[in-house]
Structure formats: structure tokens, C-alpha cells
Amino acid sequence: MQPTGDVHLGSYLGALRTWVAGQHTCDAFHGIVDLHALTVTDQPNVIGDETVSLAAMFFAMGLDPDVATIFVQSHVPEHSQLGWVMECTISYGELSRMTQFKDKSAKRESQFIAAGLFTYPALQAADILIYDANEVPVGDDQRQHIEITRDAAIRFNHRFGDTFVIPEAVTPAVGARVMSLQDPTSKMSKSDDSDSGCIYVVDEPAVIMKKFKRAVTDSETGPEAVRFDRERKPGVSNLLEIHAAVTGRTPQEVAADYEQYGALKVATGEAVVAALDPIRVRYHELMDDRGELARLLRVGADKARTVAAATVDRAYDAIGMLPA
Ligand code: AMP
């Protein structure tokens, strides 16, 4: 995950929550990808603070540094090494088809568009392949990037012999695509135009309730109005899916409990507050001890480097680079 701005409900439900659940059954590696954040950074002394903050958020959500490997990408320089190999394995045409690049560069229209914004799926492919990952737990919006990673691994293996594990995207059944509360046809995102459509994990309960009460729905009335239909009722369906994701039910089950949008909004807000409040409290406690956060990240980087260095050696060896 990139250390750019606060974590929101979309990244919590689409990704982070499943990482916490998966850490005991998988050998999990989770990187705070500060080199990716460079693609949109032009101010000094920002990335480091954002990195520490995201680490505190990871631990507050329940990622256990004794169980999962939690590290900062720039602390493991092998990512950059394999990133270049991937830039030479993925084509210009493939990168041109990435919808995230099209979206992000369109939003930055009159601003500086770094070449790294265009090539970053190659670095992301390296981030994944370097740990021999079988599964990549992500939200729906990342599917295309996992697909390009698979293509790159297959191409490399074909050219130079079996080197990389071919990974698969794993998305949650409910919560893989949380939409903006103000514009339920676009995904909830930290780069939203207004903050009111985006629930941040660090939002105070009163702020969360206010955002849910103002959520955009539709003008239908009557006992059947609350129903799950993403196409025709995007706002209501988004509320139902959020409610279902935080309470462990299905959107249809939640829909059966409500007849009015007002009551659904309040109940969804309350369910989200109940899920996020302990995380916010713990996050602030952890942020009081930055020395300890830095120490935990160093331990993670040491563990990550052992695996990453072996993969880079294997890839160089497969290509037949002259040993140093
Ligand atoms: P980001 O917050 O864009 O850095 O993405 C971090 C992770 O959260 C990725 O796995 C995304 O797929 C996931 N994610 C981001 N936004 C959403 C969303 N609105 N709904 C579901 N998952 C999301």
C-alpha cells in the first residue's frame, strides 16, 4: 500500500481487513511502497511521516509484526533492481492500456506527470514476484495490475526459464469495491474531489455519522425501496454492501431489515463506527512511540531482504548476467 494520505474504508474493507485475517494462514509480506509514492511527491519531508503513519495503521488494524513481514519498500533495495528487470519485460503497449494511469494522468492534467507514474506497474510486478507470492489480496481496482504481473512472470519464465511463481489476485466477496458516498458510481478514493464521500479510518465517530447521513441514494419510496441492485440503485447498494461487510452478513440480508433510507444510513454509520473506533484509538497510541515503529519496520526489512535478495540472484542467474 502507498503511504499517500489517510487509509479509508475502501482500502480497509477491500484489502487491509483480509490481510489481517490471512496472516495466520499465509506467509504474508506487506510492503509500505514509498517508492511508488514518489510518483506523485514533490515536497520534502512528507513521505517519511506518511510511512510511519501507515505502519501505525497496519499495526492498529491487527497486523502482527511477529507473524507477518511488514516493511518499507525503499529499505529493501532489491525492489528497485527487480523493478528495472520488469520494465524490460513489460511492453510500452501494455503499460499504455492501464486504466489507473489513464485516470491518474487525466486528474493531473496540467500538473507534472512523472514517467514513474507510467512505469509503476513494472515496479509493482517486482514487488509481488520478489516474494514468490501465490496470492495477492487486493481490491477490485488492482485486478489489471495483477494481470500484467502474471503476464510479465509468464514472459520472463518463457524467455529465461522457470524463475517466478505466477500470482493470483484474491478479492473479498463483499467490500472489494467500496464506492464514494457522494458519487456512488466512482470508487471511494483518497483523491476524491470532496472529503464527504470518503470515510477515513481516523475520522471521529460524529464525522462518520454525518457523512453517512448525507450519503447520496435515490428518490424511490415504498417498502421495496431498500434493495440490492448495483446497476439501478448504486447508492443504496453501496450502503448495503458496506453494512454487510462490517457485520459479516450479505447485502440481501441487511436489505431485508430496512424499509427506509434514513434508518439504513444511520445503522450503516453506527456499524462502521463500531468497526473503526478501536482501530482509531489504537492508531493514536501507537503514533506516540515512533521509535518503536521504526524498530519494527527494521525487523521487517531484514526478513524481507533475505527473500528478496535470493529472488534477484535467481533472476540475474536465469538471464545469465555476469556474476559480480
Ligand atoms: P490505495 O488505497 O489506492 O493505495 O489501495 C490500497 C488497497 O486498497 C488496494 O488493494 C486497493 O485495491 C484497495 N482499495 C482502494 N480503494 C478501494 C475501494 N474503494 N474499494 C475496495 N478496495 C479498495
Side-chain angles (χ1 to χ4, degrees), residues 137-225:
V138 283
D140 230 14
D141 57 338
Q142 283 293 332
R143 277 189 179 280
Q144 207 185 17
H145 288 165
I146 310 308
E147 210 41 57
I148 205 174
T149 301
R150 286 170 60 85
D151 292 345
I154 291 168
R155 184 172 301 138
F156 186 99
N157 287 354
H158 183 69
R159 282 182 184 165
F160 302 115
D162 212 10
T163 306
F164 296 120
V165 172
I166 314 298
E168 248 174 70
V170 179
T171 51
V174 186
R177 196 166 182 80
V178 178
M179 310 308 271
S180 161
L181 298 185
Q182 285 302 312
D183 173 11
T185 56
S186 38
K187 70 170 182 175
M188 186 177 284
S189 155
K190 47 198 168 195
S191 51
D192 263 0
D193 292 341
S194 88
D195 256 5
S196 49
C198 186
I199 303 287
Y200 293 100
V201 177
V202 292
D203 277 347
E204 297 285 334
V207 173
I208 295 179
M209 291 307 296
K210 197 162 146 193
K211 288 180 179 176
F212 272 103
K213 283 181 188 162
R214 289 185 182 168
V216 168
T217 48
D218 54 57
S219 55
E220 190 180 335
T221 50
E224 300 299 313

Coordinates of all heavy atoms in Angstrom, one line a residue, residues 137-225:
P137 N -3.7 -10.2 -2.1 CA -5.0 -9.8 -1.6 C -5.2 -8.3 -1.9 O -4.6 -7.5 -1.2 CB -4.9 -10.1 -0.1 CG -3.5 -10.1 0.2 CD -2.7 -10.4 -1.1
V138 N -6.1 -8.0 -2.8 CA -6.3 -6.6 -3.2 C -7.8 -6.3 -3.5 O -8.6 -7.3 -3.6 CB -5.6 -6.3 -4.5 CG1 -4.1 -6.1 -4.3 CG2 -5.8 -7.4 -5.6
G139 N -8.1 -5.0 -3.6 CA -9.5 -4.6 -4.0 C -9.6 -4.8 -5.6 O -8.6 -5.0 -6.2
D140 N -10.8 -4.7 -6.0 CA -11.1 -5.0 -7.4 C -10.3 -4.1 -8.4 O -9.9 -4.5 -9.5 CB -12.6 -4.6 -7.6 CG -13.3 -5.8 -8.4 OD1 -12.7 -6.9 -8.5 OD2 -14.4 -5.5 -8.8
D141 N -10.0 -2.8 -8.0 CA -9.3 -1.9 -8.9 C -7.9 -2.3 -9.2 O -7.3 -1.8 -10.1 CB -9.3 -0.5 -8.2 CG -8.6 -0.5 -6.8 OD1 -8.6 -1.5 -6.2 OD2 -8.2 0.6 -6.4
Q142 N -7.4 -3.3 -8.5 CA -6.0 -3.7 -8.8 C -5.9 -4.9 -9.7 O -4.8 -5.4 -10.0 CB -5.3 -4.0 -7.4 CG -4.9 -2.8 -6.6 CD -3.8 -2.0 -7.4 OE1 -3.0 -2.6 -8.1 NE2 -3.7 -0.7 -7.1
R143 N -7.0 -5.4 -10.1 CA -7.0 -6.6 -10.9 C -6.1 -6.5 -12.2 O -5.4 -7.4 -12.5 CB -8.4 -7.0 -11.4 CG -9.2 -7.8 -10.3 CD -10.5 -8.3 -10.9 NE -11.1 -9.1 -9.8 CZ -10.8 -10.3 -9.5 NH1 -9.9 -11.0 -10.1 NH2 -11.4 -10.9 -8.5
Q144 N -6.2 -5.4 -12.8 CA -5.5 -5.2 -14.1 C -4.0 -5.2 -13.8 O -3.2 -5.8 -14.6 CB -5.9 -3.8 -14.7 CG -5.7 -3.8 -16.2 CD -5.9 -2.4 -16.8 OE1 -6.0 -1.4 -16.1 NE2 -6.1 -2.4 -18.1
H145 N -3.6 -4.7 -12.7 CA -2.1 -4.7 -12.3 C -1.6 -6.1 -12.0 O -0.5 -6.4 -12.2 CB -1.9 -3.7 -11.2 CG -2.0 -2.3 -11.6 ND1 -2.0 -1.3 -10.7 CD2 -2.0 -1.7 -12.8 CE1 -2.1 -0.1 -11.3 NE2 -2.1 -0.4 -12.6
I146 N -2.5 -6.9 -11.4 CA -2.1 -8.3 -11.1 C -2.0 -9.1 -12.4 O -1.1 -9.9 -12.6 CB -3.1 -9.0 -10.1 CG1 -3.3 -8.1 -8.9 CG2 -2.5 -10.3 -9.7 CD1 -2.1 -7.6 -8.2
E147 N -2.9 -8.7 -13.3 CA -2.9 -9.4 -14.6 C -1.6 -9.1 -15.4 O -1.0 -10.0 -15.9 CB -4.1 -8.9 -15.4 CG -4.7 -9.8 -16.4 CD -4.9 -11.2 -15.9 OE1 -5.5 -11.5 -14.9 OE2 -4.3 -12.1 -16.7
I148 N -1.1 -7.9 -15.4 CA 0.1 -7.5 -16.1 C 1.3 -8.2 -15.4 O 2.3 -8.6 -16.0 CB 0.3 -6.0 -16.2 CG1 1.2 -5.6 -17.4 CG2 0.9 -5.3 -14.9 CD1 1.2 -4.1 -17.6
T149 N 1.2 -8.3 -14.0 CA 2.3 -9.0 -13.3 C 2.4 -10.5 -13.7 O 3.4 -11.0 -13.9 CB 2.0 -8.9 -11.8 OG1 1.9 -7.6 -11.4 CG2 3.0 -9.7 -11.0
R150 N 1.2 -11.1 -13.9 CA 1.2 -12.5 -14.3 C 1.8 -12.6 -15.7 O 2.6 -13.5 -16.0 CB -0.3 -13.0 -14.4 CG -0.9 -13.3 -13.0 CD -2.4 -13.6 -13.2 NE -2.7 -14.7 -14.1 CZ -2.7 -16.0 -13.7 NH1 -2.5 -16.2 -12.4 NH2 -2.9 -16.9 -14.5
D151 N 1.4 -11.7 -16.6 CA 1.9 -11.7 -18.0 C 3.4 -11.6 -18.0 O 4.1 -12.3 -18.7 CB 1.2 -10.6 -18.8 CG -0.2 -10.9 -19.0 OD1 -0.7 -12.0 -18.8 OD2 -0.9 -9.9 -19.5
A152 N 3.9 -10.7 -17.1 CA 5.4 -10.5 -17.1 C 6.1 -11.7 -16.6 O 7.1 -12.1 -17.1 CB 5.7 -9.3 -16.2
A153 N 5.5 -12.3 -15.5 CA 6.2 -13.5 -15.0 C 6.2 -14.7 -16.0 O 7.2 -15.3 -16.2 CB 5.4 -14.0 -13.7
I154 N 5.1 -14.8 -16.7 CA 5.0 -15.9 -17.7 C 6.0 -15.6 -18.8 O 6.7 -16.5 -19.3 CB 3.5 -16.0 -18.3 CG1 2.6 -16.5 -17.2 CG2 3.5 -16.9 -19.5 CD1 1.1 -16.4 -17.5
R155 N 6.1 -14.3 -19.3 CA 7.0 -14.0 -20.4 C 8.5 -14.2 -19.9 O 9.3 -14.8 -20.7 CB 6.8 -12.5 -20.7 CG 7.6 -12.1 -21.9 CD 7.2 -10.7 -22.4 NE 5.8 -10.6 -22.8 CZ 5.0 -9.6 -22.4 NH1 5.4 -8.6 -21.7 NH2 3.7 -9.6 -22.8
F156 N 8.8 -13.8 -18.7 CA 10.2 -14.0 -18.2 C 10.5 -15.5 -18.2 O 11.6 -15.9 -18.6 CB 10.3 -13.3 -16.8 CG 11.7 -13.3 -16.3 CD1 12.6 -12.2 -16.4 CD2 12.3 -14.5 -15.7 CE1 13.9 -12.2 -16.0 CE2 13.6 -14.5 -15.3 CZ 14.4 -13.3 -15.4
N157 N 9.6 -16.2 -17.6 CA 9.8 -17.7 -17.4 C 10.0 -18.3 -18.8 O 10.8 -19.2 -19.0 CB 8.7 -18.4 -16.7 CG 8.6 -18.0 -15.2 OD1 9.6 -17.4 -14.7 ND2 7.6 -18.5 -14.5
H158 N 9.3 -17.8 -19.8 CA 9.4 -18.4 -21.1 C 10.7 -18.0 -21.8 O 11.4 -18.8 -22.4 CB 8.2 -17.8 -22.0 CG 8.1 -18.3 -23.3 ND1 7.8 -19.7 -23.6 CD2 8.4 -17.8 -24.5 CE1 7.8 -19.8 -24.9 NE2 8.2 -18.7 -25.5
R159 N 11.1 -16.8 -21.5 CA 12.4 -16.3 -22.1 C 13.6 -17.0 -21.5 O 14.6 -17.4 -22.1 CB 12.6 -14.8 -22.0 CG 11.8 -14.0 -22.9 CD 12.1 -12.5 -22.6 NE 11.3 -11.6 -23.4 CZ 11.2 -10.3 -23.2 NH1 11.8 -9.7 -22.2 NH2 10.5 -9.6 -24.0
F160 N 13.6 -17.0 -20.1 CA 14.8 -17.3 -19.4 C 14.8 -18.6 -18.5 O 15.7 -18.9 -17.8 CB 15.2 -16.1 -18.5 CG 15.4 -14.8 -19.3 CD1 14.6 -13.7 -19.1 CD2 16.4 -14.7 -20.3 CE1 14.8 -12.6 -19.8 CE2 16.6 -13.6 -21.0 CZ 15.8 -12.5 -20.8
G161 N 13.6 -19.3 -18.6 CA 13.5 -20.5 -17.8 C 12.7 -20.2 -16.5 O 12.6 -19.0 -16.1
D162 N 12.2 -21.2 -15.9 CA 11.3 -21.1 -14.8 C 11.9 -20.4 -13.6 O 12.8 -20.9 -13.0 CB 10.8 -22.5 -14.4 CG 9.4 -22.5 -13.8 OD1 8.8 -21.5 -14.0 OD2 9.0 -23.6 -13.3
T163 N 11.4 -19.2 -13.3 CA 12.1 -18.4 -12.3 C 11.0 -17.8 -11.3 O 11.3 -17.9 -10.0 CB 12.8 -17.1 -12.9 OG1 13.7 -17.6 -13.9 CG2 13.5 -16.3 -11.8
F164 N 9.9 -17.4 -11.8 CA 8.9 -16.7 -10.9 C 7.7 -17.6 -10.7 O 7.2 -18.2 -11.6 CB 8.5 -15.4 -11.5 CG 9.6 -14.4 -11.6 CD1 10.0 -13.8 -12.8 CD2 10.3 -13.9 -10.4 CE1 11.1 -12.9 -12.9 CE2 11.3 -13.0 -10.5 CZ 11.7 -12.5 -11.7
V165 N 7.1 -17.4 -9.5 CA 5.8 -18.0 -9.2 C 4.8 -17.1 -9.9 O 4.9 -15.9 -9.9 CB 5.6 -18.0 -7.7 CG1 4.1 -18.4 -7.3 CG2 6.6 -18.9 -7.0
I166 N 3.7 -17.7 -10.5 CA 2.7 -16.9 -11.2 C 1.6 -16.6 -10.1 O 0.9 -17.5 -9.6 CB 2.0 -17.7 -12.3 CG1 3.1 -18.4 -13.2 CG2 1.1 -16.8 -13.1 CD1 4.0 -17.4 -13.9
P167 N 1.4 -15.3 -9.8 CA 0.5 -15.0 -8.7 C -0.9 -14.8 -9.2 O -1.2 -14.7 -10.4 CB 1.0 -13.6 -8.2 CG 1.6 -13.0 -9.5 CD 2.1 -14.1 -10.3
E168 N -1.8 -14.9 -8.2 CA -3.3 -14.7 -8.5 C -3.8 -13.6 -7.6 O -3.5 -13.5 -6.4 CB -4.0 -15.9 -8.1 CG -4.6 -16.7 -9.3 CD -5.2 -18.0 -8.9 OE1 -6.2 -18.0 -8.2 OE2 -4.5 -19.0 -9.2
A169 N -4.7 -12.8 -8.1 CA -5.4 -11.8 -7.3 C -6.5 -12.4 -6.5 O -7.2 -13.3 -7.0 CB -6.1 -10.7 -8.2
V170 N -6.6 -12.0 -5.2 CA -7.7 -12.6 -4.4 C -8.4 -11.4 -3.8 O -7.9 -10.5 -3.1 CB -7.1 -13.4 -3.2 CG1 -8.2 -13.9 -2.3 CG2 -6.2 -14.5 -3.7
T171 N -9.7 -11.3 -4.2 CA -10.5 -10.1 -3.7 C -11.6 -10.6 -2.8 O -12.1 -11.8 -2.9 CB -11.2 -9.4 -4.9 OG1 -11.9 -10.4 -5.7 CG2 -10.2 -8.7 -5.8
P172 N -12.0 -9.8 -1.8 CA -13.0 -10.3 -0.9 C -14.4 -10.4 -1.5 O -14.7 -9.7 -2.5 CB -13.0 -9.2 0.2 CG -12.5 -8.0 -0.4 CD -11.5 -8.5 -1.5
A173 N -15.3 -11.3 -1.0 CA -16.6 -11.5 -1.6 C -17.5 -10.2 -1.4 O -18.2 -9.8 -2.3 CB -17.3 -12.7 -1.0
V174 N -17.3 -9.6 -0.3 CA -18.1 -8.3 0.0 C -17.1 -7.3 0.4 O -16.3 -7.5 1.2 CB -19.1 -8.5 1.1 CG1 -20.0 -7.3 1.3 CG2 -20.0 -9.8 0.9
G175 N -17.2 -6.1 -0.3 CA -16.3 -5.0 0.0 C -15.1 -4.8 -0.9 O -14.2 -4.0 -0.7
A176 N -15.1 -5.5 -2.0 CA -14.0 -5.4 -3.0 C -14.0 -4.1 -3.7 O -13.0 -3.7 -4.3 CB -14.0 -6.6 -4.0
R177 N -15.2 -3.5 -3.7 CA -15.3 -2.2 -4.5 C -16.2 -1.3 -3.7 O -17.4 -1.2 -4.0 CB -15.8 -2.4 -5.9 CG -15.5 -1.3 -6.8 CD -15.7 -1.6 -8.3 NE -15.4 -0.5 -9.1 CZ -14.2 -0.1 -9.4 NH1 -13.2 -0.7 -9.0 NH2 -14.0 1.0 -10.1
V178 N -15.7 -0.6 -2.7 CA -16.5 0.4 -2.0 C -16.5 1.7 -2.7 O -15.5 2.2 -3.2 CB -15.8 0.6 -0.6 CG1 -16.6 1.6 0.2 CG2 -15.7 -0.7 0.2
M179 N -17.8 2.2 -2.9 CA -17.9 3.4 -3.7 C -18.0 4.7 -2.9 O -18.3 4.6 -1.7 CB -19.2 3.3 -4.6 CG -19.3 1.9 -5.3 SD -17.8 1.6 -6.3 CE -18.2 2.4 -7.8
S180 N -17.8 5.8 -3.5 CA -17.9 7.1 -2.8 C -19.3 7.3 -2.3 O -20.3 6.9 -3.0 CB -17.6 8.2 -3.8 OG -18.1 9.4 -3.3
L181 N -19.5 7.9 -1.1 CA -20.8 8.1 -0.6 C -21.5 9.3 -1.3 O -22.7 9.4 -1.3 CB -20.8 8.4 0.9 CG -20.2 7.3 1.9 CD1 -20.3 7.8 3.3 CD2 -20.9 6.0 1.6
Q182 N -20.7 10.1 -1.9 CA -21.3 11.2 -2.7 C -21.5 11.0 -4.2 O -22.4 11.5 -4.8 CB -20.4 12.5 -2.5 CG -20.5 13.1 -1.2 CD -21.9 13.6 -0.8 OE1 -22.6 14.2 -1.6 NE2 -22.4 13.2 0.3
D183 N -20.7 10.1 -4.7 CA -20.9 9.7 -6.1 C -20.7 8.2 -6.2 O -19.6 7.7 -6.5 CB -19.8 10.4 -7.0 CG -19.8 9.9 -8.4 OD1 -20.8 9.1 -8.8 OD2 -18.9 10.2 -9.2
P184 N -21.8 7.5 -6.0 CA -21.7 6.0 -5.8 C -21.4 5.3 -7.1 O -21.3 4.0 -7.2 CB -23.1 5.6 -5.3 CG -24.0 6.7 -5.5 CD -23.2 8.0 -5.6
T185 N -21.1 6.0 -8.2 CA -20.7 5.4 -9.4 C -19.1 5.4 -9.6 O -18.6 4.8 -10.5 CB -21.3 6.0 -10.7 OG1 -21.0 7.4 -10.7 CG2 -22.8 5.8 -10.7
S186 N -18.5 6.1 -8.6 CA -17.0 6.0 -8.7 C -16.5 5.5 -7.3 O -17.1 5.7 -6.3 CB -16.3 7.4 -9.0 OG -17.0 8.4 -8.5
K187 N -15.3 4.9 -7.3 CA -14.9 4.2 -6.1 C -14.5 5.2 -5.1 O -14.0 6.3 -5.4 CB -13.7 3.2 -6.5 CG -12.4 3.9 -6.8 CD -11.2 2.9 -6.9 CE -10.0 3.7 -7.2 NZ -8.8 3.0 -7.2
M188 N -14.6 4.8 -3.8 CA -14.2 5.6 -2.7 C -12.6 5.7 -2.8 O -12.0 4.7 -3.0 CB -14.5 5.0 -1.4 CG -14.2 5.8 -0.2 SD -14.7 5.1 1.4 CE -16.5 5.4 1.4
S189 N -12.1 7.0 -2.8 CA -10.7 7.1 -3.0 C -10.2 8.4 -2.3 O -11.0 9.3 -2.1 CB -10.6 7.3 -4.5 OG -9.4 8.0 -4.8
K190 N -8.9 8.3 -1.9 CA -8.4 9.5 -1.2 C -8.2 10.6 -2.1 O -8.0 11.8 -1.7 CB -7.1 9.1 -0.4 CG -6.1 8.3 -1.2 CD -5.1 7.6 -0.2 CE -4.3 6.6 -0.9 NZ -3.6 5.7 0.0
S191 N -8.2 10.4 -3.4 CA -8.1 11.5 -4.3 C -9.5 12.1 -4.8 O -9.6 12.8 -5.8 CB -7.2 11.1 -5.5 OG -7.7 9.9 -6.1
D192 N -10.5 11.7 -4.0 CA -11.9 12.3 -4.3 C -11.8 13.8 -4.3 O -11.0 14.4 -3.5 CB -12.8 11.9 -3.1 CG -13.6 10.7 -3.5 OD1 -13.4 10.1 -4.6 OD2 -14.4 10.2 -2.7
D193 N -12.7 14.4 -5.0 CA -12.8 15.9 -5.1 C -13.2 16.4 -3.7 O -12.6 17.4 -3.2 CB -13.8 16.3 -6.1 CG -13.3 16.0 -7.5 OD1 -12.1 15.8 -7.6 OD2 -14.1 16.0 -8.4
S194 N -14.2 15.8 -3.1 CA -14.6 16.3 -1.7 C -14.4 15.1 -0.7 O -14.4 14.0 -1.1 CB -16.1 16.7 -1.8 OG -16.9 15.5 -1.4
D195 N -14.1 15.6 0.5 CA -13.9 14.6 1.6 C -15.2 13.9 2.0 O -15.1 12.9 2.7 CB -13.3 15.3 2.8 CG -11.8 15.1 2.9 OD1 -11.3 14.4 2.0 OD2 -11.2 15.5 3.9
S196 N -16.3 14.5 1.7 CA -17.6 14.0 2.3 C -18.0 12.6 1.8 O -18.8 11.9 2.4 CB -18.7 15.0 2.2 OG -18.8 15.4 0.8
G197 N -17.4 12.2 0.6 CA -17.8 10.9 0.1 C -16.9 9.8 0.6 O -17.1 8.6 0.3
C198 N -15.8 10.2 1.3 CA -14.8 9.2 1.7 C -14.7 9.1 3.3 O -14.6 10.1 3.9 CB -13.5 9.7 1.2 SG -12.1 8.6 1.4
I199 N -14.8 7.9 3.8 CA -14.7 7.7 5.2 C -13.3 7.3 5.6 O -12.8 6.3 5.1 CB -15.7 6.5 5.7 CG1 -17.1 6.8 5.3 CG2 -15.5 6.2 7.2 CD1 -17.8 7.8 6.1
Y200 N -12.6 8.1 6.4 CA -11.3 7.8 6.8 C -11.3 7.0 8.1 O -12.2 7.3 8.9 CB -10.4 9.1 6.9 CG -10.2 9.8 5.6 CD1 -11.0 10.9 5.2 CD2 -9.3 9.3 4.7 CE1 -10.8 11.5 4.0 CE2 -9.1 9.9 3.5 CZ -9.8 11.0 3.1 OH -9.7 11.6 1.9
V201 N -10.4 6.1 8.2 CA -10.3 5.3 9.5 C -10.1 6.2 10.7 O -10.6 5.9 11.8 CB -9.3 4.2 9.3 CG1 -9.1 3.4 10.6 CG2 -9.6 3.3 8.2
V202 N -9.4 7.3 10.5 CA -9.1 8.2 11.6 C -10.2 9.3 11.8 O -10.2 10.1 12.7 CB -7.8 9.0 11.5 CG1 -6.6 8.0 11.6 CG2 -7.7 9.8 10.2
D203 N -11.3 9.2 11.0 CA -12.4 10.1 11.3 C -13.1 9.9 12.6 O -13.3 8.7 13.0 CB -13.5 9.9 10.2 CG -13.2 10.7 8.9 OD1 -12.4 11.6 8.9 OD2 -13.9 10.4 7.9
E204 N -13.4 11.0 13.3 CA -14.1 10.8 14.6 C -15.5 10.3 14.3 O -16.1 10.5 13.2 CB -14.3 12.2 15.3 CG -12.9 12.9 15.6 CD -12.3 12.2 16.9 OE1 -13.0 11.7 17.7 OE2 -11.0 12.3 17.0
P205 N -16.1 9.6 15.3 CA -17.5 9.0 15.1 C -18.5 10.0 14.6 O -19.3 9.7 13.7 CB -17.8 8.5 16.5 CG -16.5 8.1 17.1 CD -15.5 9.1 16.6
A206 N -18.5 11.2 15.1 CA -19.5 12.2 14.7 C -19.4 12.5 13.2 O -20.3 12.8 12.5 CB -19.4 13.5 15.6
V207 N -18.1 12.6 12.8 CA -17.8 12.9 11.4 C -18.3 11.8 10.5 O -19.0 12.0 9.4 CB -16.3 13.1 11.2 CG1 -16.0 13.3 9.7 CG2 -15.8 14.3 12.0
I208 N -18.1 10.5 10.9 CA -18.5 9.4 10.1 C -20.1 9.4 10.0 O -20.6 9.2 8.9 CB -18.0 8.0 10.8 CG1 -16.5 8.0 10.7 CG2 -18.7 6.8 10.1 CD1 -15.9 6.8 11.4
M209 N -20.7 9.6 11.2 CA -22.2 9.6 11.1 C -22.7 10.7 10.2 O -23.7 10.5 9.4 CB -22.8 9.8 12.6 CG -22.5 8.7 13.5 SD -23.1 7.1 12.9 CE -24.9 7.3 12.8
K210 N -22.1 11.9 10.2 CA -22.6 13.0 9.4 C -22.4 12.6 7.9 O -23.3 12.8 7.1 CB -21.7 14.2 9.7 CG -22.3 15.5 9.2 CD -21.6 16.6 9.9 CE -21.5 17.8 9.1 NZ -20.6 18.8 9.7
K211 N -21.3 12.0 7.5 CA -21.0 11.6 6.2 C -22.1 10.5 5.7 O -22.6 10.6 4.6 CB -19.6 11.0 6.0 CG -18.5 12.1 6.1 CD -17.1 11.5 5.9 CE -16.1 12.6 6.0 NZ -14.7 12.0 5.9
F212 N -22.4 9.6 6.6 CA -23.4 8.6 6.2 C -24.8 9.2 6.0 O -25.5 8.8 5.1 CB -23.4 7.4 7.2 CG -22.4 6.3 6.8 CD1 -21.2 6.2 7.5 CD2 -22.7 5.5 5.7 CE1 -20.3 5.2 7.1 CE2 -21.7 4.5 5.3 CZ -20.5 4.4 6.1
K213 N -25.1 10.1 7.0 CA -26.5 10.7 6.9 C -26.6 11.5 5.6 O -27.7 11.6 5.1 CB -26.7 11.6 8.1 CG -27.0 10.8 9.3 CD -27.3 11.7 10.5 CE -27.4 10.9 11.8 NZ -27.2 11.7 13.0
R214 N -25.5 12.0 5.0 CA -25.6 12.8 3.8 C -25.3 11.9 2.6 O -25.2 12.5 1.4 CB -24.5 13.9 3.8 CG -24.9 15.0 4.8 CD -23.8 16.1 4.7 NE -24.1 17.1 5.6 CZ -23.3 18.1 5.9 NH1 -22.1 18.1 5.3 NH2 -23.6 19.0 6.8
A215 N -25.2 10.6 2.7 CA -24.9 9.8 1.6 C -26.0 9.9 0.5 O -27.2 10.0 0.8 CB -24.8 8.3 2.0
V216 N -25.5 9.9 -0.8 CA -26.4 10.0 -1.9 C -27.1 8.7 -2.1 O -26.5 7.6 -2.1 CB -25.7 10.4 -3.2 CG1 -26.5 10.3 -4.4 CG2 -25.1 11.9 -3.0
T217 N -28.5 8.7 -2.2 CA -29.2 7.5 -2.5 C -30.0 7.7 -3.8 O -29.4 8.0 -4.9 CB -30.2 7.1 -1.3 OG1 -30.9 8.2 -0.9 CG2 -29.3 6.5 -0.2
D218 N -31.4 7.6 -3.8 CA -32.2 7.8 -5.0 C -33.5 8.3 -4.5 O -33.8 8.4 -3.3 CB -32.3 6.6 -5.9 CG -32.7 5.4 -5.2 OD1 -33.8 5.4 -4.6 OD2 -32.0 4.4 -5.2
S219 N -34.5 8.5 -5.4 CA -35.8 9.1 -5.0 C -36.9 8.1 -4.8 O -38.0 8.5 -4.6 CB -36.2 10.2 -5.9 OG -36.2 9.7 -7.2
E220 N -36.6 6.8 -5.0 CA -37.6 5.8 -4.9 C -38.2 5.8 -3.4 O -37.4 5.9 -2.5 CB -37.0 4.4 -5.2 CG -38.1 3.4 -5.4 CD -37.5 2.0 -5.8 OE1 -36.4 1.9 -6.3 OE2 -38.2 1.0 -5.4
T221 N -39.5 5.5 -3.3 CA -40.0 5.3 -1.9 C -40.8 4.0 -1.9 O -41.0 3.4 -2.9 CB -41.0 6.5 -1.5 OG1 -41.9 6.7 -2.6 CG2 -40.2 7.8 -1.3
G222 N -41.3 3.7 -0.7 CA -42.1 2.5 -0.6 C -41.3 1.4 0.0 O -40.1 1.4 0.2
P223 N -42.0 0.3 0.4 CA -41.4 -0.8 1.2 C -40.3 -1.5 0.5 O -39.5 -2.2 1.1 CB -42.6 -1.7 1.6 CG -43.7 -1.3 0.7 CD -43.5 0.1 0.3
E224 N -40.4 -1.5 -0.9 CA -39.4 -2.2 -1.7 C -38.1 -1.4 -2.0 O -37.2 -1.9 -2.7 CB -40.0 -2.7 -3.0 CG -41.2 -3.6 -2.8 CD -40.9 -4.9 -2.1 OE1 -39.8 -5.5 -2.4 OE2 -41.6 -5.2 -1.1
A225 N -38.1 -0.1 -1.5 CA -37.0 0.8 -2.0 C -35.6 0.3 -1.5 O -34.7 0.5 -2.3 CB -37.3 2.2 -1.5

